[in-house]
Amino acid sequence: MAVRAVRGAVQLERDEAGHMDEQVGALLTEILERNDLSADDLISIWFTATPDLHSDFPAAAARKLGIVDVPLICAQELDIEGAMPRIVRVLAHIESDRPRSGIAHVYLGAAAALRKDIAQ
């Protein structure tokens, strides 16, 4: 079993805790489904949020999905002029037999524009 990394992102429509839970939950669910993963395959998850998001911690959505014994951390993205607003990014470390080229990175909605080279 190898350690792999899965990337993902979603753009929120507004800075509200319930909306963040919904959108980040959808992103995490999609990452798990597209990569045939369960919570047991997760090693850790790193969340970042743009500086305009402050209604809740993105990691709270993972806990609400039942991801309770996986180390999670949240950080703030750099405040770069012209960057896409209201973005939550995910970097999940997983155990998987898939080759690196077989990992499905997930960029939902408008966030697909962030990484056109790997968004699926």
Side-chain angles (χ1 to χ4, degrees):
M1 192 76 61
V3 174
R4 300 285 183 227
V6 184
R7 291 289 318 266
V10 64
Q11 184 179 41
L12 305 185
E13 294 174 17
R14 58 194 175 278
D15 183 24
E16 293 176 2
H19 181 62
M20 182 180 290
D21 282 347
E22 176 185 300
Q23 294 300 303
V24 174
L27 175 61
L28 291 171
T29 298
E30 196 69 20
I31 287 171
L32 293 172
E33 288 178 0
R34 289 192 197 179
N35 289 287
D36 297 318
L37 299 169
S38 71
D40 288 338
D41 300 314
L42 298 170
I43 297 169
S44 64
I45 305 175
W46 186 288
F47 296 89
T48 63
T50 51
D52 52 0
L53 294 174
H54 42 76
S55 62
D56 202 359
F57 295 100
R63 299 292 185 220
K64 290 176 183 171
L65 286 178
I67 301 172
V68 295
D69 62 348
V70 175
L72 308 176
I73 192 166
C74 297
Q76 188 176 77
E77 283 286 331
L78 296 173
D79 191 10
I80 304 298
E81 187 174 329
M84 190 178 285
R86 299 177 317 281
I87 298 291
V88 174
R89 290 176 173 84
V90 171
L91 174 62
H93 298 96
I94 63 168
E95 292 181 317
S96 176
D97 287 327
R98 288 182 182 219
R100 189 175 293 149
S101 61
I103 298 296
H105 303 283
V106 179
Y107 290 77
L108 298 180
L114 295 170
R115 289 299 305 264
K116 293 177 184 174
D117 58 325
I118 63 172
Q120 301 170 355

